């Protein structure tokens, strides 16, 4: 090969080499691109799968949240009661009963002596059924007969039922309750103002406990029985009223209730008859306040109590007219004394001054456990002597106690006033007529009754509701130490002391109450000396009227006569305060405002003028008797009651049957001992 040929092949080989190199790099580039594309595709696929999975998880989480929200929304509501409410029967009704809003009954906080801001009122429709007491089959949702309006007793018109309960029957109540979210972690108290007579309490159909006694407040801590915010309360209530139990006889305190109403004995009031409510508290909370104010040293003395007798730090302030006038601190179950000498405003019917209490319960490390608002008054009640006669002394001065017998019955609510406004009407009207005292006869009332008496300045003589009436014994009202005791079974005696003890413990907070009356007219009267001692042990800061109207015993502070129609001084006994526990009974019938067609009274009058005139004559007689030694008189009565027409007002409270002019003569008698 010549030289020229060699030169020609080299560029060719170089060209081939370059093409081979180019092809190589192209292949590498293609491989890289493909690899990159695959990698990107895999990465995109991974990201897509990840996002889809994340979205699916989020969707699942949202679904769970939505389910929880839907559950909570469902828990936030309780189905409306399908009830076309109206009062039962066609008997006499008050204007408050006629205008009752059944979804808003007795809405006021029921315990003003120990008030908390957070609470739920359980008044309103409850499901109910009446069953044979021997029927112990399980209670299910399908067995209830309908609704009953709490807190009105079964036999009342306002309950919407108006049925009688026999001694072989029980009444079941049931209500579904929803508590707020912010109550989580709190203890829940279920409170009952009063249930007549034996009340068994169940939460979610599990028994919590039971209470006997128709006239006293009680509560249960139901915390451990509640699993969710929504729960069911069921009650089983037994009330034989004044019928005989085969073993225990007439063993219940019943007051004036009877299964056969006639004369001075009235319609029963079975079951719930005062407010029911729940409230959240910490495991340690204020349970009670004992008041032992010192009038002479111008000092407020308070003992705060908590469950299980625990001694925990307490701080409190005292206010008068919204101004802080004193502070105190100590422990529960320890007396905390606060001097108010610079702001000393005694309580009396003419000046019902009240001090506000704000108290905080703390743990030992300073955490707040409970906060309550309360109140008190400073007054002194005692037996004193004026011109050789025993008298009632209030704040160091003799004061004639004049007022009507207050039986607390209502034509539409029986034991339960239609509203606080209705209840307040009675108290205020008696105040307007010039009375300074009410004798709460054979019955107790809600805490708010005594609170209103504290606020308005009305003295209260509190009876124990009687029992075992007419079973044995004898009544002799005209001689000291006369008459014979009633023979009572041990069960009956135990029930009496249990219930009387609870009544005193629950009501001794209220300064308006100045007299305890264990017995009336020998009704079930037994072991009087021992019962008076029992009463003193429960509360020695008030006077005791051992037996209003007899049988008279030489214990307590009074000898008390009942004289109808006019007042008389038939039994004088210098060792005790002489009073007339009942007189009057002037009957005036107001057409269309009576309970029934046939009525009675101790003495019939025919007009408002005649009633006012006779009443005025009675007060003039009492003016003379006051000089001789009579220190108090109780007129029969505030209102007509069922067949009795001897009230100052009609049973339905539409008419006041006496002229307002009696206010002046009442005032004159009250001031006769000044």
């Amino acid at each position: 090969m010549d030289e020229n040929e060699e030169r020609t092949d080299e560029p060719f080989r170089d060209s081939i080499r370059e093409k081979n190199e180019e092809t190589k790099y192209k292949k590498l580039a293609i491989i890289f691109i493909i690899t990159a594309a695959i990698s990107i595709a895999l990465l995109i696929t991974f990201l897509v799968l990840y996002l889809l999975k994340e979205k699916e998880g989020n969707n699942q989480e949202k679904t769970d949240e939505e389910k929880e929200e839907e559950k909570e929304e469902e828990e936030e509501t309780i189905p409306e009661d399908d009830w076309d409410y109206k009062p039962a029967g066609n008997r006499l009704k008050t204007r408050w009963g006629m205008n009752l809003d059944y979804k808003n009954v007795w809405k006021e906080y029921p315990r003003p002596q120990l008030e908390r801001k957070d609470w739920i009122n359980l008044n309103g429709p409850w499901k109910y059924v009446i069953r044979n007491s021997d029927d112990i089959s399980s209670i299910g949702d399908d067995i209830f007969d309908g609704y009953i309006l709490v807190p009105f007793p079964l036999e009342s018109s306002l309950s919407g039922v108006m049925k009688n309960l026999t001694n072989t029957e029980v009444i079941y109540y049931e209500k579904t309750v929803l508590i707020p979210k912010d109550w989580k972690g709190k203890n829940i108290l279920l409170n009952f103002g009063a249930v007549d007579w034996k009340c068994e309490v169940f939460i979610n159909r599990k028994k919590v406990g039971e209470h006997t006694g128709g006239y006293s407040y009680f509560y249960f801590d139901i915390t451990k029985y509640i699993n969710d915010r929504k729960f069911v309360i069921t009650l089983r209530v037994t009330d034989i009223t004044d019928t005989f139990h085969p073993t225990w006889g007439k063993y219940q305190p019943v007051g004036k209730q009877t299964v056969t109403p006639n004369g001075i004995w009235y319609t029963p009031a079975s079951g719930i008859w005062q407010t029911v409510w729940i409230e959240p508290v910490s495991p340690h909370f204020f349970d009670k306040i004992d008041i032992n104010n010192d009038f002479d040293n111008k000092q407020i003395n308070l003992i705060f109590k908590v469950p299980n007798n625990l001694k925990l730090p307490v701080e409190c302030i005292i206010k008068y007219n919204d101004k802080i006038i004193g502070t105190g601190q100590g422990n529960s179950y320890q007396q905390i004394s606060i001097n108010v000498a610079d702001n000393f405003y005694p309580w009396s019917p003419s000046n019902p001054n009240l001090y506000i209490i704000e108290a905080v319960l703390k743990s030992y490390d300073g955490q707040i456990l409970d906060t309550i608002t309360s109140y008190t008054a400073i007054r002194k009640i005692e037996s004193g002597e004026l011109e050789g006669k025993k008298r009632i002394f209030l704040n160091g001065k003799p004061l004639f106690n004049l007022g009507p017998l207050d039986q607390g019955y209502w034509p539409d609510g029986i034991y339960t006033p239609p509203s606080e406004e209705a209840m307040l009407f009675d108290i205020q009207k008696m105040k307007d007529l010039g009375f300074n005292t009410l004798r709460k006869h054979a019955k107790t009332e809600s805490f708010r009754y005594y609170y209103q008496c504290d606020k308005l300045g009305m003295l209260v003589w509190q009876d124990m509701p009687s029992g075992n009436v007419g079973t044995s014994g004898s009544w002799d009202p005209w001689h000291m130490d006369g008459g014979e005791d009633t023979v009572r079974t041990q069960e009956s005696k135990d029930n009496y002391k249990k219930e009387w003890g609870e009544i005193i413990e629950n009501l001794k907070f209220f300064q308006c109450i100045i007299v305890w009356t264990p017995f009336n007219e020998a009704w079930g009267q037994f072991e009087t000396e021992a019962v008076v001692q029992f009463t003193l042990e429960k509360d020695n800061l008030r006077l005791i009227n051992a037996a209003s109207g007899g049988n008279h015993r030489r214990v307590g502070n009074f000898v008390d006569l009942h004289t109808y129609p006019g007042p008389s001084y038939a039994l004088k006994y210098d060792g005790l305060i002489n009073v007339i526990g009942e007189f009057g009974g002037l009957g005036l019938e107001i057409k269309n405002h009576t309970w029934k067609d046939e009525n009675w009274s101790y003495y019939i009058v025919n007009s408002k003028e005649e009633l006012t005139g006779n009443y005025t004559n009675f007060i003039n007689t009492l003016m003379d008797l006051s000089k001789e030694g009579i220190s108090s008189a109780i007129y029969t009565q505030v209102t007509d009651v069922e067949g009795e027409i001897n009230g100052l007002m009609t049973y339905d409270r539409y008419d006041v049957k006496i002229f307002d002019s009696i206010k002046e003569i009442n005032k004159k008698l009250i001031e006769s001992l000044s």
Side-chain angles (χ1 to χ4, degrees):
M1 183 180 295
D2 58 19
E3 193 176 50
N4 290 333
E5 286 179 342
E6 290 177 1
R7 290 191 189 106
T8 303
D9 289 340
E10 287 179 5
F12 177 77
R13 287 194 295 269
D14 291 340
S15 174
I16 293 299
R17 190 180 299 115
E18 289 175 358
K19 286 181 180 181
N20 289 337
E21 290 291 332
E22 183 179 349
T23 300
K24 177 182 177 182
Y25 287 121
K26 283 181 178 179
K27 287 181 179 180
L28 289 173
I30 290 170
I31 292 170
F32 176 77
I33 290 170
I34 292 172
T35 303
I38 292 171
S39 298
I40 290 171
L42 289 173
L43 180 60
I44 290 171
T45 301
F46 175 78
L47 288 172
V48 168
L49 291 174
Y50 175 80
L51 290 173
L52 287 173
K53 186 177 181 180
E54 184 72 15
K55 183 177 180 181
E56 182 181 354
N58 288 341
N59 286 340
Q60 182 64 40
E61 183 178 345
K62 184 177 180 181
T63 301
D64 291 341
E65 288 177 356
E66 287 175 349
K67 287 180 179 179
E68 186 65 28
E69 287 176 2
E70 288 174 1
K71 182 181 177 182
E72 289 184 359
E73 286 175 3
E74 182 181 348
E75 289 178 348
E76 289 286 354
T77 60
I78 295 175
E80 285 287 326
D81 299 302
D82 185 18
W83 189 24
D84 182 19
Y85 170 78
K86 62 181 179 180
N90 56 6
R91 288 247 186 180
L92 198 65
K93 293 178 178 58
T94 65
R95 59 180 176 273
W96 302 280
M98 292 292 289
N99 296 313
L100 189 71
D101 177 4
Y102 84 95
K103 294 184 178 180
N104 193 28
V105 290
W106 277 94
K107 60 185 180 300
E108 298 82 8
Y109 186 79
R111 192 185 51 212
Q113 71 271 34
L114 199 69
E115 185 168 355
R116 296 185 176 94
K117 293 182 179 179
D118 215 0
W119 69 293
I120 293 177
N121 192 335
L122 298 185
N123 292 340
W126 288 54
K127 290 187 288 187
Y128 90 99
V129 66
I130 297 173
R131 300 281 286 270
N132 190 291
S133 56
D134 294 330
D135 185 354
I136 58 173
S137 60
S138 61
I139 293 297
D141 294 332
D142 58 339
I143 63 94
F144 290 96
D145 285 343
Y147 292 99
I148 184 171
L149 186 58
V150 169
F152 299 105
L154 175 69
E155 296 85 350
S156 71
S157 170
L158 294 182
S159 72
V161 178
M162 203 174 178
K163 292 182 180 179
N164 295 324
L165 190 70
T166 72
N167 60 355
T168 61
E169 294 176 322
V170 296
I171 176 173
Y172 286 90
Y173 293 81
E174 189 159 285
K175 189 174 185 69
T176 301
V177 178
L178 177 70
I179 58 177
K181 295 177 183 178
D182 58 7
W183 286 19
K184 186 177 181 180
K186 294 282 190 178
N187 283 35
I188 308 300
L189 304 184
L190 174 59
N191 302 272
F192 298 89
V195 182
D196 196 2
W197 185 79
K198 179 181 178 181
C199 178
E200 299 171 79
V201 179
F202 303 81
I203 300 296
N204 296 327
R205 308 276 167 81
K206 294 181 180 178
K207 188 168 182 177
V208 174
E210 64 183 51
H211 177 266
T212 59
Y215 298 93
S216 53
Y217 158 83
F218 62 99
Y219 76 87
F220 293 103
D221 187 332
I222 60 173
T223 310
K224 67 180 182 181
Y225 299 92
I226 301 173
N227 299 318
D228 299 304
R229 290 176 52 219
K230 187 185 289 187
F231 58 92
V232 177
I233 303 171
T234 308
L235 309 180
R236 184 180 191 268
V237 179
T238 307
D239 183 21
I240 70 169
T241 310
D242 64 337
T243 60
F244 272 90
H245 187 278
T247 304
W248 304 319
K250 287 191 175 184
Y251 70 106
Q252 291 181 199
V254 295
K256 291 289 202 81
Q257 300 179 77
T258 178
V259 295
T260 55
N262 65 94
I264 63 171
W265 311 104
Y266 317 128
T267 302
S270 301
I272 300 171
W273 67 275
Q274 288 185 24
T275 294
V276 184
W277 77 101
I278 56 173
E279 57 191 341
V281 296
S282 71
H284 306 302
F285 55 91
F286 287 121
D287 187 41
K288 194 170 181 292
I289 305 176
D290 279 351
I291 306 289
N292 182 15
N293 294 334
D294 188 336
F295 180 89
D296 294 329
N297 292 308
K298 301 176 174 59
Q299 191 167 277
I300 292 175
N301 296 324
L302 308 171
I303 298 177
F304 295 89
K305 296 183 177 181
V306 298
N308 302 316
N309 297 322
L310 293 176
K311 292 179 173 59
L312 294 169
V314 176
E315 298 176 1
C316 63
I317 62 174
I318 304 295
K319 291 182 177 180
Y320 185 82
N321 284 344
D322 294 326
K323 176 185 176 183
I324 296 176
I325 62 169
T327 61
Q329 57 184 10
N331 290 326
S332 51
Y333 290 93
Q334 171 190 8
Q335 181 168 288
I336 298 175
S337 298
I338 303 166
N339 189 280
V340 292
D342 293 335
N343 296 274
F344 184 58
Y345 305 104
W347 183 95
S348 69
S350 56
N351 291 290
N353 298 302
L354 299 180
Y355 296 89
I356 301 301
I357 302 168
E358 295 177 2
V360 176
L361 180 69
K362 292 187 174 181
S363 63
Y364 288 114
D365 60 3
Q367 295 183 25
I368 294 177
L369 301 176
D370 197 7
T371 301
I372 58 97
T373 300
S374 186
Y375 74 96
T376 190
I378 300 179
R379 62 104 181 98
K380 183 179 182 180
I381 191 71
E382 60 187 331
S383 172
E385 192 168 297
L386 177 67
E387 298 177 351
K389 305 291 184 181
K390 292 282 187 179
R391 304 288 189 178
I392 301 169
F393 275 62
L394 177 66
N395 300 337
K397 299 178 181 179
L399 179 68
F400 196 98
N401 286 202
L402 176 64
L405 194 73
D406 184 3
Q407 303 209 62
Y409 270 80
W410 298 79
D412 41 14
I414 308 298
Y415 255 22
T416 310
S419 65
E420 176 154 334
E421 180 186 0
M423 180 191 72
L424 183 57
F425 176 84
D426 278 9
I427 304 170
Q428 184 64 62
K429 182 54 67 175
M430 295 305 104
K431 186 82 174 178
D432 293 343
L433 290 174
F435 297 110
N436 66 355
T437 304
L438 292 170
R439 179 184 169 198
K440 179 48 63 179
H441 186 41
K443 181 186 183 239
T444 62
E445 295 289 353
S446 69
F447 291 142
R448 295 199 67 86
Y449 172 92
Y450 304 98
Y451 168 64
Q452 293 295 350
C453 288
D454 277 344
K455 284 181 66 178
L456 292 175
M458 184 65 83
L459 302 170
V460 175
W461 293 23
Q462 178 62 54
D463 287 10
M464 167 62 181
S466 50
N468 290 75
V469 178
T471 53
S472 63
S474 63
W475 179 33
D476 179 2
W478 309 118
H479 301 90
M480 183 60 68
D481 302 317
E484 297 179 355
D485 277 4
T486 299
V487 178
R488 302 177 73 148
T489 64
Q490 190 59 49
E491 185 77 18
S492 175
K493 292 178 183 179
D494 291 344
N495 283 336
Y496 176 96
K497 288 186 176 179
K498 175 185 181 295
E499 193 149 2
W500 185 224
E502 288 183 356
I503 288 170
I504 294 171
E505 284 294 329
N506 285 328
L507 298 184
K508 68 182 182 181
F509 170 92
F510 299 99
Q511 300 303 297
C512 61
I513 299 175
I514 63 167
V515 175
W516 300 118
T517 304
F519 298 114
N520 178 78
E521 293 186 355
W523 297 346
Q525 188 173 345
F526 73 101
E527 300 172 7
T528 308
E529 293 82 359
V531 169
V532 167
Q533 182 59 37
F534 174 82
T535 305
L536 278 171
E537 290 170 0
K538 290 293 181 181
D539 177 31
N540 61 4
L541 300 177
R542 290 169 173 83
L543 303 177
I544 299 178
N545 188 4
S548 181
N551 292 326
H552 309 295
R553 301 291 182 258
R554 301 170 198 268
V555 290
N557 302 103
F558 297 91
V559 57
D560 179 336
L561 292 175
H562 294 179
T563 64
Y564 286 101
S568 65
Y569 200 0
L571 173 63
K572 297 181 181 181
Y573 187 75
D574 291 338
L576 299 170
I577 303 170
N578 288 260
V579 301
I580 297 173
E582 293 180 28
F583 78 101
L586 300 175
L588 174 61
E589 182 173 331
I590 305 296
K591 296 294 184 182
N592 302 318
H593 295 283
T594 56
W595 177 253
K596 56 185 183 179
D597 294 333
E598 295 182 4
N599 302 290
W600 74 276
S601 70
Y602 294 97
Y603 184 84
I604 294 291
V605 296
N606 298 306
S607 67
K608 192 171 184 178
E609 288 79 6
E610 188 179 354
L611 176 56
T612 304
N614 279 314
Y615 176 85
T616 301
N617 291 336
F618 289 165
I619 300 301
N620 284 328
T621 299
L622 283 167
M623 296 286 283
D624 295 332
L625 295 179
S626 173
K627 297 172 186 176
E628 297 179 29
I630 293 294
S631 296
S632 176
I634 303 297
Y635 179 84
T636 300
Q637 58 187 328
V638 173
T639 71
D640 298 344
V641 181
E642 300 199 357
E644 291 185 56
I645 55 169
N646 46 32
L648 295 166
M649 298 188 290
T650 55
Y651 196 18
D652 56 12
R653 278 75 168 172
Y654 271 93
D655 282 332
V656 179
K657 299 194 285 183
I658 199 164
F659 287 117
D660 291 347
S661 59
I662 67 167
K663 179 176 183 178
E664 294 306 315
I665 194 168
N666 284 347
K667 180 181 178 182
K668 187 176 180 182
L669 176 57
I670 287 170
E671 294 176 349
S672 64
L673 300 180
S674 299

